[in-house]
Each structure stands twice: as structure tokens, then as C-alpha cells.
Amino acid sequence: LGSGMFVYVRKLLQHMPAYDLALILESSTAKSRPVLWQLIDPDFHGEVLEELNEEVRKGILKSMRPEKLAAVAEGMDIDDLAEVFRTLPDSIYNEVLNSMDSQDRSRVETALSYEEDTAGGMMNTDTITLRPDVTVDVVLRYLRLKGDLPDATDSFYVVDRNNKFIGAVSLAAIVTAKAEAIVSSLINAEVEAVQAELGEQDVAQLFERHDWFSAPVVDDAGHLLGRITIDDVIDIIRENAEHSMMSMAGLDDEADTFAPVIKSTKQRSLWLGVNLITALMAVAVTSMFEGVFQQLAILAVLNSLVPSMGGVAGNQTLTLVIRGMALGHVGDSNARALLSKEVAIGFLNGIIWATLIATVVAIWKQDLMLGGVIAFAMLMNMTAAGLAGVSIPLLLKRLNIDPALAGSVIITTVTDVVGIFAFLGTATLLLT
Amino acid sequence: LGSGMFVYVRKLLQHMPAYDLALILESSTAKSRPVLWQLIDPDFHGEVLEELNEEVRKGILKSMRPEKLAAVAEGMDIDDLAEVFRTLPDSIYNEVLNSMDSQDRSRVETALSYEEDTAGGMMNTDTITLRPDVTVDVVLRYLRLKGDLPDATDSFYVVDRNNKFIGAVSLAAIVTAKAEAIVSSLINAEVEAVQAELGEQDVAQLFERHDWFSAPVVDDAGHLLGRITIDDVIDIIRENAEHSMMSMAGLDDEADTFAPVIKSTKQRSLWLGVNLITALMAVAVTSMFEGVFQQLAILAVLNSLVPSMGGVAGNQTLTLVIRGMALGHVGDSNARALLSKEVAIGFLNGIIWATLIATVVAIWKQDLMLGGVIAFAMLMNMTAAGLAGVSIPLLLKRLNIDPALAGSVIITTVTDVVGIFAFLGTATLLLT
């Protein structure tokens, strides 16, 4: 791009599917994205926007003029469109909304009336509805007349005169039933309607529990609003799994790998600041033993060992518990069993590494007592790590704080403080 | 359970769907699982086995007798059955295989002839095939006669006389086409066949790129073997995302939250051992400066600060790069842009925290020079963290080593060594 081969790049981009174009934009630096965007055929802009992740999309939307946006909006799915609308500034929002036709406008407004992370915010409105008393033959003739079904239609929804949801009939049931069978007799009892207010995590769990490919969405009074398809659920499953990993590194808000430097620096500095406070607490504890170092400099050299091992052990347990929580394996009923298991593991691993490190130190420094001190501290700290690794995420969850975000820094503080106290404290008592 | 309320629990378990039963088994301690398993209605054993994660399933299979296993195997999907077979010891394997009917046996054998993590290992064999020259009317009559479609059938596969794959026709196309339309005219050009040897990651990417709900699987010669449905793809997407998080804590093999203590202790001790080596390297570097501590004990107190901040910054960058690699955003073509971005962020954050920590130390210890030394070391180490955070995972990937597994420990070593050298080295030069 730098060398000005615009015509060539434009040609290259023209033959790519939207998914690939989105991938290219996401893999480019923030600076070069607007240029690339201009080179993409405007007819594909809508599809590409649907595929882009939120952060990158926001950047591109900012650079677009409202009238262009309205043109792009026409071809988009309602759920994606609602997502785009949520990130627009108010002035542009109204301008784009007014330029849409009334049917699309009312659909977007319905979707926007629900929170983004609920069934209502995820749904599409392109359902096909049937009356309960018609025959399969009539349905087939109707479908043939229609000539085209919305993408990913695997079920039709049976509603009454007031659009109240009665049940779902699968396309498979329609094609295998006798021509004179009545729709209401083909309803699949396993498909339940999802409430529009239900959170996206719960929606994802319902899909997994029932092996659904799509599900109807209804309002409080049971009126059919739309449907959710499994491709939207996949995004949620992936985002959730990713979220834990990113949170544990303090990167939760940084979904854009190629965000501008200043923005990323700001986002990361918060977490580094929190870590600095933790590190300063360890320093403060160590400074209580400053006098000992003049006598026994070896203690300063060995001081990082015990906290380091405790930190790793604690974060192992934390990671396991966070994953267990996400999968629904860890709750109040089995917290006690998990706690005793992890403390036992911490204790056993403590014995292994305490013995090893004591032997190394005793041989290296020809000091049995020093070996004993470090072994004792190691055992203490590894056990504490198991204890903290289970209890802290459980406690945080009860306080409605995300354990993936706060857990790691708290556990590191615990293992630092316990480790330093156990090592330097015992050393001061026994060796000086 | 402990109180012997078996009858009550058995009743409770009888009314639960397989997904919930699997969740209960996964959330129980390894000891109580065989007891629970006995209490579950044997008719559901197959379904529950399908839902269980691999680790827990292995434990349960060990406790089952071969003839029971064969009975359970009958009702299972081929892909799940193949997965079960892979974990059986050879003797039981043959016994179970021999007790199956010949059609099922040959299906399982086909699935087993492909690697577990390929399209062939993921597929089911319950496809419905059509000839290209029949009319829609004939297809509909055939389906009505059949009376039932395999779960999640959204497409039929058109094959020639030799079972060679020609194309896919969606159920939606069949119901919307005219009765006299010919199958070959309804083929969806967007659906391509997946090669049986293709890796599961690539299969997942194809599904996402094309928004498929199912896809046909063919052998080298283009013969139809089976189909993959999106629910199998979801498992892969989740496992991949989880895998990175678990690997970064050295927990990759520990999929079972409630595994026995001894097993978990063994699994974790490997990672703790690797970390001990890292920690000992930091100790070795520190011990080169042992003499300085007797002069200036404050250096021992502050020694953990710079490595700690560098470690956090390095692991932030590492996490971002690992996620970027998983999403296909980071490759050779943009590695340079990412490297300069992350080094710039490291440098900027280095300046922020160097200034802050220098001010704190200068005021606390009334020592401007000491503040200057720690600021310099902080800036060095944060910049090194950005450099290592990008280059190490890229290097590991080129060497075919999983960056999520090895990256964190290598980066921590780098930031420990650079941090300690920069701080204690500069301090020795300037302050003594």
C-alpha cells in the first residue's frame, strides 16, 4: 500500500469474500484501515461490517459519512445492524434511522429496545410463521410460492391470531409428514421459546443443553419477536472463553490487536498500575527485614524463590477454578471438596519442591539450617496458594467481581506476602 | 450420597436430560463418579457419555464391563463412538467391536481410520444422498416414505452411481422449488466438500468463513464419507479458546476439575519444576551482586520491583499475540508492524512507571540517584518486555512449539534477567 499500488490492491480485494476482507482489516494497522476501506467495493461494505469485531468496526464507522452508512445499512441483518447502531453517536444515529424505510426502522428499533447482551439484542426478525390448523400440503404450497427462505431456516414457528407463540415445527417434520397432516400435530415439544430479556450466556447454555440450531424469541406476554441462530451463539461462546484469558492479563478492553499505540498504552497502564501497588506491598514487607540483609546477604538472593513458586501454584489453581466456573462445574455445593483437593495438591507439591530446594540450598551454601528455613517457607506458601486459589475466586464471584480480572493480582499479593513473611521471618528468628 | 439416600438420588437423576447428568458427573469428585454412574438409568448411558468431557469419560469407561459397553455403544453417534473407542484398551476394544452389528462396525472402523482431530474423525455417517437426475417431487415422496430425518439435517448430498460427491442441495431449496425441478439444478455452489484429512482447526475456520451449518466430508477420490455438523465445530472452537488459557498456566492436560489429588499433583509439578528453573536463574543473576547487598540493603528490598513490572508487561503482550495468532490476525506479513507497536507501548509505559517509581523512591529514601537507577532499569525492562512479548511467540511458532505453553515462562525469564541486570548492574556501577 505504501508504494501506491491502489489499483492493484483494489482488484485483489474485489474477489474476496467478506470474511477475508474483515480479517485483512483486523490484521492491518489502525492507520491503514481507512485507506483499505475505501478500496473495498461499497456493495460489500455491509457484509464486511457484519464480520468485523466491535473495536475495529467502531473505528471504521467513525470515518464514514451518514448517508453512506444508511446505504450500507439496508442490506444488513437486523442483529448486526442493531450492534452497529449502538456504537453510533446520537446525531448520526438519527440521521441514519430517518433515511431507512419504515419497516426496517421499526425492526431496528425493536432490537435496540433490548440490551445488547440479551436474547432480544441477538435475535433476527426474519421468521416464517404458520397457523396451527393448516395442513402440510398448504404449507408446502405456500413455501413454493414464497420461492426463498431466510438463511439458516430450520424451523417454522406456529403462532395464533395475536402472534402468540404456540410451538416450533421443523422443516424436517414438514417434509416427512403426510400431505394432509395438520401443523399443530407436528410441533416439536423439545423447542421452548426464549425470553427476550434472557442474558446471552444463558441463551448459549440453552443452545448447548438442547443441541438447538435455532430458537424462537418471545416477549413477556409470549408474542413471537424473532429467532436466534447458532452462528450468533458461537460468537458468544468464543468471546466468553477468550474473555477469561484476556482478563487474566488485564487486557479485557483491548480487542483490537493493531489499535493505535497511545490507546493501547492507556489501556495497559491501568493493569500495570494495579500490579505496581502489589509489587510495592511486597517491597514494604521485604523492607521490614532490611536489617537482616546486611548480616545475611544470601537471604536477599534467595528471597524471590518462595513467592515465585507460590505465585505460579496459586495461578494454576485460579485458572482451573475460573474455567470450572465458566463451565458450570464449580459452585457452592462442591466448593468444599475443591478446596480440600487444591490444598492437598498445594501441600503435596510443597513437600516435593521444599525437599528439592532444601537439598540444593543445603549443598550449595553448606547450610542445613538455611535449607530447612526455605523448605518450611515453600511448604507454607504452596499450601496458602491452594487455599487462596480456590477461596478468592469464589469470594469475588459472590461479590459480583469478575474473578478473571481481579483474581490473579490478589492471589499474587497473597503468595508474595505469605512467601516473604514465611521465608524472611523464619530466617530472622532462626538464623540471626 | 454419603448418607446413603441412593433411592432418592436415583429418582432425581431419572428426570434429567443427558447434558445435566454429564454436568453433575463432571462437577463431582472422582471418587463419587462410579457410584453416581450406577444410579443413572442405563438407557441414558450412551447419551451421557456423548456429553462428557474426555478426561471424565475415560475414568467412567475404565469402570464399565465390556458387554455393558457394547450395549451402550449401540445408540451412540458414530463420531462420539469413535472417540470412545480411541480411549479403550485393545482387549476391550476388540470385544466391544465384535459384539456390534456389521454395519455399525464398518462405520466405526471408517471413522477410526482417520485421526481424531481431522474432518474424518469428527464426521457422522448419517447422510441422505440423492441422485442428480430425479425431480423434487420424487425427493419429497421419498422423504415422506422415510418418515424421519437424521438430527440436524439441513442438506442432502447429491452423488453419482459410484458415491462420488457432486454437490449439496439444501432442504430449503427442496421445499421452495417447483415439483418438476430437477435436483441437479438446485445444487448450492457455495457448499464445498471437506477433505477427510483436513485438520479440525481448518474445518472450524471453513465453517466460520462460509457460515455453514453442516458440510459433506469426502475421501481423496471425492467419494462421500459423511458430514460434519456445526455442534461438533462449536466444541472445537471452545476447546481452542480454552486451550490457550489453560496452557498459559501449565494446565493443558488437566481438563478434569475434580481429578484425583495425586494425578493433579503430578500434572502440575512439571510446570512448577520448569518455573523453579526460571526462578533459580533469577537467583543466580542476583547472587552475582550478593556483595552489594551488604553495602546497600535497600537494593535487596527494591530488587523485585523491576522484574515484576516487566513480567506483567511481557505477559500482556504475549497474551495479545497468542490471541491474535489464534484468530489469524498475526502472521509474518504484519509481525514487524506489531513489533514496533508493542515496543513503543513498552517504552511509553516504561516512561510513565519509571517516572512514578523514581519519584516515590527519591522521596522515600531521599536519594535522587537511586530513583534514577530504578527508573532507567524500569524503562529498559518494559521495552525489552514488548520486544520479547512479540518475538518469542513468533519464534516459538516457527519452531512448532506452542507459544501458549512455553511463551510465558521464557518471557518471565527474559524480564527477570534483564530487570535484575539493569537494576543491580547500574546500581553497582553508579552507587558503590
Side-chain angles (χ1 to χ4, degrees):
Chain A
L1 266 183
S3 44
M5 293 169 72
F6 291 121
V7 182
Y8 175 72
V9 175
R10 188 195 299 265
K11 252 198 180 152
L12 213 67
L13 295 179
Q14 249 168 14
H15 299 284
M16 283 188 179
Y19 176 92
D20 291 340
L21 291 173
L23 201 62
I24 289 179
L25 284 167
E26 287 170 356
S27 310
S28 304
T29 56
K31 249 188 282 177
S32 56
R33 280 177 196 147
V35 183
L36 279 169
W37 185 248
Q38 296 297 333
L39 294 177
I40 294 173
D41 184 345
D43 288 351
F44 285 114
H45 277 174
E47 276 179 67
V48 177
L49 278 180
E50 287 181 11
E51 301 278 352
L52 280 176
N53 81 40
E54 212 179 315
E55 280 299 306
V56 180
R57 181 161 57 199
K58 258 191 216 166
I60 295 212
L61 289 174
K62 259 195 214 154
S63 73
M64 282 178 85
R65 269 172 300 151
E67 64 272 20
K68 281 214 171 170
L69 247 176
V72 164
E74 257 170 53
M76 288 175 74
D77 282 346
I78 295 299
D79 55 341
D80 296 307
L81 199 51
E83 240 186 273
V84 167
F85 267 92
R86 280 178 225 277
T87 57
L88 291 180
D90 276 356
S91 58
I92 300 180
Y93 176 107
N94 287 322
E95 204 169 323
V96 177
L97 205 60
N98 285 329
S99 65
M100 295 172 73
D101 71 38
S102 66
Q103 199 191 6
D104 277 353
R105 188 161 56 219
S106 86
R107 280 182 179 169
V108 173
E109 281 173 334
T110 308
L112 284 171
S113 70
Y114 295 99
E115 294 289 324
E116 186 174 1
D117 53 359
T118 62
M122 292 164 70
M123 72 184 176
N124 262 310
T125 49
D126 53 355
T127 55
I128 293 189
T129 54
L130 305 174
R131 290 270 175 276
D133 50 0
V134 297
T135 61
V136 165
D137 196 39
V138 173
V139 173
L140 284 174
R141 266 186 287 151
Y142 162 70
L143 294 175
R144 231 169 256 169
L145 219 80
K146 217 169 153 10
D148 197 20
L149 299 185
D151 279 349
T153 295
D154 68 336
S155 287
F156 306 121
Y157 300 130
V158 185
V159 293
D160 71 10
R161 214 169 288 267
N162 301 315
N163 198 34
K164 240 180 160 153
F165 178 76
I166 299 174
V169 171
S170 71
L171 190 45
I174 295 285
V175 295
T176 51
K178 285 188 192 123
E180 62 274 18
I182 286 174
V183 160
S184 61
S185 70
L186 302 175
I187 286 178
N188 181 351
E190 275 179 48
V191 178
E192 308 152 23
V194 174
Q195 294 291 324
E197 285 87 9
L198 198 70
E200 58 178 14
Q201 312 254 21
D202 297 321
V203 173
Q205 225 197 346
L206 279 175
F207 266 77
E208 291 209 69
R209 165 173 301 184
H210 299 287
D211 284 328
W212 286 340
F213 279 59
S214 69
V217 179
V218 297
D219 66 11
D220 284 338
H223 298 113
L224 182 68
L225 296 172
R227 66 182 178 122
I228 295 174
T229 47
I230 198 168
D231 48 325
D232 300 315
V233 175
I234 288 184
D235 292 340
I236 288 162
I237 290 174
R238 197 215 329 262
E239 275 163 28
N240 281 347
E242 241 179 38
H243 163 84
S244 297
M245 180 174 97
M246 297 289 275
S247 293
M248 287 184 82
L251 290 171
D252 191 32
D253 294 325
E254 198 165 336
D256 180 3
T257 317
F258 293 92
V261 171
I262 300 292
K263 198 176 164 193
S264 296
T265 304
K266 263 197 224 155
Q267 284 169 331
R268 299 217 200 142
S269 62
L270 176 69
W271 192 246
L272 287 164
V274 171
N275 181 69
L276 186 64
I277 295 169
T278 315
L280 282 173
M281 282 178 67
V283 166
V285 175
T286 307
S287 78
M288 294 166 62
F289 300 94
E290 197 175 330
V292 187
F293 295 141
Q294 260 140 358
Q295 273 181 273
L296 277 168
I298 183 66
L299 295 183
V301 171
L302 296 173
N303 189 33
S304 64
L305 262 186
V306 174
S308 161
M309 290 294 278
V312 169
N315 277 298
Q316 283 189 327
T317 304
L318 175 71
T319 306
L320 195 83
V321 173
I322 285 174
R323 172 175 163 280
M325 283 176 168
L327 294 176
H329 291 170
V330 177
D332 287 337
S333 61
N334 52 15
R336 206 124 143 236
L338 189 60
L339 192 68
S340 48
K341 181 203 151 195
E342 288 297 323
V343 170
I345 294 172
F347 186 78
L348 282 182
N349 261 320
I351 288 180
I352 296 172
W353 301 110
T355 313
L356 194 82
I357 199 71
T359 316
V360 170
V361 167
I363 292 172
W364 178 31
K365 289 290 153 184
Q366 295 287 321
D367 188 340
L368 258 180
M369 199 66 178
L370 183 63
V373 166
I374 203 165
F376 169 75
M378 186 76 87
L379 186 57
M380 284 284 97
N381 206 23
M382 298 285 272
T383 313
L387 195 71
V390 177
S391 55
I392 285 171
L394 285 172
L395 194 74
L396 287 173
K397 205 184 177 187
R398 201 168 292 180
L399 298 172
N400 266 325
I401 300 170
D402 181 3
L405 194 60
S408 174
V409 84
I410 299 181
I411 283 172
T412 307
T413 309
V414 170
T415 50
D416 275 2
V417 170
V418 171
I420 294 169
F421 258 118
F423 178 57
L424 294 183
T426 322
T428 309
L429 278 177
L430 297 183
L431 301 180
T432 60
Chain B
L1 267 183
S3 43
M5 293 167 72
F6 290 121
V7 181
Y8 175 73
V9 174
R10 189 195 299 264
K11 252 198 180 153
L12 213 67
L13 294 180
Q14 249 169 15
H15 298 285
M16 285 190 179
Y19 177 93
D20 292 341
L21 291 172
L23 201 61
I24 289 179
L25 284 167
E26 287 169 357
S27 310
S28 303
T29 56
K31 249 188 280 176
S32 56
R33 281 178 195 147
V35 184
L36 278 170
W37 185 248
Q38 296 297 334
L39 294 177
I40 293 173
D41 184 347
D43 288 351
F44 285 113
H45 276 174
E47 275 178 67
V48 177
L49 278 180
E50 287 182 11
E51 301 279 350
L52 280 177
N53 81 39
E54 211 179 313
E55 281 300 307
V56 180
R57 181 160 57 199
K58 258 191 215 165
I60 294 211
L61 289 175
K62 258 193 214 155
S63 72
M64 282 178 83
R65 268 172 300 152
E67 64 271 22
K68 282 214 172 170
L69 247 176
V72 165
E74 256 171 54
M76 288 177 73
D77 282 347
I78 295 300
D79 55 342
D80 295 307
L81 198 52
E83 241 186 274
V84 167
F85 266 92
R86 278 177 226 277
T87 57
L88 291 179
D90 276 356
S91 58
I92 301 180
Y93 176 106
N94 287 322
E95 203 169 326
V96 177
L97 205 60
N98 285 330
S99 65
M100 294 172 73
D101 72 39
S102 67
Q103 197 190 12
D104 277 352
R105 187 163 56 220
S106 87
R107 280 181 179 171
V108 172
E109 281 174 333
T110 309
L112 283 172
S113 69
Y114 294 98
E115 294 290 322
E116 185 174 3
D117 55 357
T118 63
M122 293 164 70
M123 71 185 177
N124 262 309
T125 49
D126 55 356
T127 54
I128 293 188
T129 54
L130 305 175
R131 289 270 173 275
D133 50 359
V134 298
T135 62
V136 164
D137 197 39
V138 173
V139 174
L140 283 174
R141 265 186 288 152
Y142 163 69
L143 294 175
R144 229 167 259 169
L145 219 82
K146 213 168 154 18
D148 197 20
L149 298 185
D151 279 348
T153 296
D154 68 335
S155 288
F156 307 121
Y157 300 129
V158 185
V159 293
D160 70 9
R161 214 169 288 267
N162 301 316
N163 198 34
K164 238 183 163 148
F165 177 76
I166 300 174
V169 171
S170 72
L171 190 46
I174 295 285
V175 295
T176 51
K178 287 193 190 113
E180 63 274 18
I182 287 173
V183 160
S184 62
S185 71
L186 301 175
I187 285 177
N188 182 352
E190 275 178 47
V191 178
E192 309 152 22
V194 174
Q195 294 290 325
E197 285 88 8
L198 198 70
E200 58 178 13
Q201 312 254 20
D202 296 321
V203 172
Q205 224 195 348
L206 280 175
F207 267 76
E208 291 209 70
R209 165 172 301 184
H210 298 286
D211 285 328
W212 287 339
F213 279 59
S214 69
V217 179
V218 297
D219 67 11
D220 283 340
H223 299 112
L224 182 68
L225 296 172
R227 65 182 179 123
I228 296 174
T229 47
I230 197 167
D231 47 324
D232 300 316
V233 174
I234 288 185
D235 293 340
I236 288 162
I237 290 174
R238 197 216 328 262
E239 275 164 27
N240 281 346
E242 240 178 38
H243 163 82
S244 297
M245 180 173 99
M246 299 288 276
S247 293
M248 286 183 82
L251 290 171
D252 192 31
D253 294 326
E254 197 164 336
D256 179 4
T257 317
F258 292 92
V261 171
I262 300 292
K263 198 175 166 196
S264 296
T265 304
K266 263 197 223 156
Q267 284 170 330
R268 297 212 203 147
S269 62
L270 177 69
W271 192 245
L272 287 164
V274 172
N275 181 68
L276 186 65
I277 295 169
T278 314
L280 283 173
M281 282 179 67
V283 166
V285 175
T286 307
S287 78
M288 293 166 62
F289 300 93
E290 198 175 329
V292 187
F293 296 141
Q294 260 139 358
Q295 271 181 276
L296 277 169
I298 182 68
L299 295 184
V301 172
L302 296 174
N303 189 32
S304 65
L305 262 185
V306 174
S308 161
M309 291 293 277
V312 169
N315 277 298
Q316 284 189 327
T317 303
L318 174 72
T319 306
L320 195 82
V321 174
I322 285 173
R323 171 175 164 279
M325 283 174 166
L327 294 176
H329 291 170
V330 176
D332 286 337
S333 61
N334 52 16
R336 209 127 141 230
L338 189 62
L339 191 70
S340 48
K341 182 203 152 194
E342 289 296 324
V343 170
I345 294 172
F347 186 77
L348 282 182
N349 262 320
I351 289 181
I352 295 173
W353 301 111
T355 313
L356 195 83
I357 199 71
T359 315
V360 170
V361 168
I363 293 173
W364 178 31
K365 290 288 153 186
Q366 295 288 319
D367 188 341
L368 259 179
M369 201 66 179
L370 183 63
V373 166
I374 203 166
F376 169 77
M378 187 75 87
L379 186 58
M380 286 283 95
N381 205 23
M382 298 286 272
T383 312
L387 195 72
V390 177
S391 55
I392 286 170
L394 285 172
L395 195 73
L396 288 172
K397 205 184 176 186
R398 200 168 295 179
L399 299 172
N400 267 326
I401 301 171
D402 182 2
L405 194 60
S408 174
V409 85
I410 299 181
I411 283 171
T412 307
T413 309
V414 170
T415 51
D416 274 2
V417 170
V418 171
I420 295 169
F421 258 119
F423 178 57
L424 295 183
T426 322
T428 310
L429 278 177
L430 297 182
L431 301 179
T432 58

